[in-house]
C-alpha cells in the first residue's frame, strides 16, 4: 500500500490567493482527518470525516477554510483567500477504526508558505 | 473540549538512561491514548497506544501507563539510544479525532 498521499508537498503562494491541498487516504480506511502543525500551536485537528461525511469541523479556523470529501478516496482542504498566518504544515491522516484498531496513519504533509 | 497538557517540553538524557514524558487530559470520556514520534521534517508515526480499560502496556523498550482517576498517562523509554531523538506527542481521543499535547523534544546524547 502506498500509504496516505498528499499533494502538493510544498506550496508557496501570495496572500490573497486560493490554495487547495489534496489527500488520498489508504484504501479501505473510512475515517479521514486534516491536521495543521505550527511551532506556536502544535498539532491541531481542523476537521474529520467518517464515511465521507464531515463529523467535526470545530477546528476549522474561519470561513476562509473549507474541506470536502466527494468520495472515499479523495479529500480537499481549500483556503480562500490565504493569509500569512496560514503558513504551516498540513497533514492528512486516515484510519479504519475497525475492531480495536484506532491507529491513524499520517501522510507526508504539505508545507504551505503564504507570503 | 479536550485539553491535553504535556511535560516536559524538552528532555535531554544520556544514551542508556531512561526517559519519561507525562501528559494530563481534561475530558473524562476520553478512552484512547496514543503516542506519536516525529522526526525532523517527517510525519508523526504511532509508537504505542493504550485504551482506557488497560492500565499499562509495554512494547520492548517502550511502555505507557494510564491513571484514569487522575487523568494522566506517561510514556517510558528505557535504554535510550541516539535514534530515539525526536519529538514525541501524546494525544487523547473520545471519538476518533486526536487532541495532541504540545510535544516533547527528546535528545539522547551518546
Amino acid at each position: 500500500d502506498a500509504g496516505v498521499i498528499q499533494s502538493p508537498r510544498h506550496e508557496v503562494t501570495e496572500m490573497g490567493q486560493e490554495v487547495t491541498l489534496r489527500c488520498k487516504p489508504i484504501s479501505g480506511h473510512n475515517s479521514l482527518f486534516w491536521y495543521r502543525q505550527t511551532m506556536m500551536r502544535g498539532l491541531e485537528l481542523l476537521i474529520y470525516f467518517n464515511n465521507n461525511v464531515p463529523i467535526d469541523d470545530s477546528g476549522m479556523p474561519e470561513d476562509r477554510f473549507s474541506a470536502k470529501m466527494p468520495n472515499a478516496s479523495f479529500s480537499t482542504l481549500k483556503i480562500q483567500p490565504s493569509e500569512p498566518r496560514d503558513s504551516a504544515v498540513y497533514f492528512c491522516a486516515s484510519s479504519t477504526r475497525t475492531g480495536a484498531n484506532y491507529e491513524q496513519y499520517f501522510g507526508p504533509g504539505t508545507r504551505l508558505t503564504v507570503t | 473540549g479536550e485539553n491535553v497538557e504535556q511535560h516536559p517540553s524538552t528532555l535531554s538524557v544520556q544514551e542508556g538512561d531512561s526517559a519519561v514524558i507525562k501528559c494530563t487530559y481534561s475530558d473524562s470520556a476520553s478512552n484512547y491514548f496514543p503516542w506519536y514520534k516525529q522526526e525532523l521534517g517527517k510525519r508523526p508515526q504511532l509508537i504505542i497506544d493504550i485504551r482506557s480499560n488497560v492500565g499499562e502496556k509495554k512494547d520492548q523498550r517502550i511502555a505507557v501507563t494510564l491513571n484514569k482517576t487522575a487523568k494522566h498517562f506517561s510514556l517510558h523509554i528505557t535504554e535510550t539510544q541516539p535514534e530515539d531523538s525526536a519529538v514525541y506527542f501524546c494525544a487523547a481521543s473520545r471519538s476518533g479525532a486526536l487532541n495532541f499535547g504540545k510535544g516533547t523534544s527528546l535528545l539522547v546524547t551518546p
Side-chain angles (χ1 to χ4, degrees):
Chain A
D1 198 319
V4 176
I5 298 172
Q6 291 186 247
S7 64
R9 295 292 308 276
H10 301 272
E11 177 80 32
V12 180
T13 191
E14 292 185 346
M15 183 175 63
Q17 297 298 304
E18 177 180 296
V19 176
T20 299
L21 311 181
R22 297 173 176 80
C23 175
K24 177 179 170 55
I26 293 173
S27 178
H29 283 194
N30 59 353
S31 295
L32 183 139
F33 308 82
W34 282 100
Y35 295 94
R36 178 172 67 176
Q37 185 173 36
T38 62
M39 287 295 293
M40 290 297 295
R41 300 176 66 90
L43 270 164
E44 305 173 279
L45 175 73
L46 299 177
I47 186 171
Y48 81 96
F49 297 84
N50 275 351
N51 297 315
N52 312 340
V53 177
I55 302 300
D56 182 357
D57 65 354
S58 60
M60 296 286 263
E62 49 200 90
D63 292 346
R64 297 183 300 106
F65 285 68
S66 63
K68 294 182 180 179
M69 191 164 187
N71 56 62
S73 58
F74 183 65
S75 177
T76 60
L77 178 67
K78 184 178 294 186
I79 308 172
Q80 165 64 16
S82 57
E83 297 182 2
R85 60 191 167 124
D86 301 330
S87 297
V89 179
Y90 290 81
F91 287 104
C92 174
S94 69
S95 72
T96 60
R97 298 204 67 206
T98 55
N101 183 2
Y102 277 40
E103 178 174 357
Q104 291 187 22
Y105 296 81
F106 282 71
T110 295
R111 181 174 296 278
L112 173 65
T113 303
V114 183
T115 61
Chain B
E2 174 69 276
N3 182 44
V4 178
E5 300 281 343
Q6 183 172 346
H7 299 279
S9 57
T10 61
L11 180 59
S12 182
V13 300
Q14 286 201 318
E15 183 177 2
D17 287 350
S18 295
V20 180
I21 302 170
K22 298 182 179 182
C23 289
T24 60
Y25 62 99
S26 60
D27 186 352
S28 57
S30 289
N31 57 14
Y32 175 61
F33 307 92
W35 287 86
Y36 281 79
K37 175 183 180 182
Q38 187 178 29
E39 296 176 348
L40 189 63
K42 300 287 183 63
R43 72 193 79 186
Q45 292 193 297
L46 180 74
I47 56 171
I48 195 168
D49 56 12
I50 192 169
R51 300 189 190 290
S52 58
N53 59 346
V54 175
E56 184 173 358
K57 184 177 178 181
K58 189 173 182 180
D59 182 3
Q60 299 183 346
R61 297 186 297 108
I62 295 172
V64 58
T65 59
L66 171 65
N67 183 325
K68 282 194 304 180
T69 303
K71 289 190 281 189
H72 68 69
F73 56 114
S74 301
L75 177 71
H76 304 252
I77 306 174
T78 58
E79 302 172 23
T80 54
Q81 302 167 2
E83 50 266 38
D84 294 329
S85 298
V87 179
Y88 291 80
F89 293 93
C90 64
S93 172
R94 63 182 291 184
S95 61
L98 298 176
N99 296 282
F100 285 93
K102 287 290 192 288
T104 296
S105 179
L106 173 64
L107 177 64
V108 181
T109 55

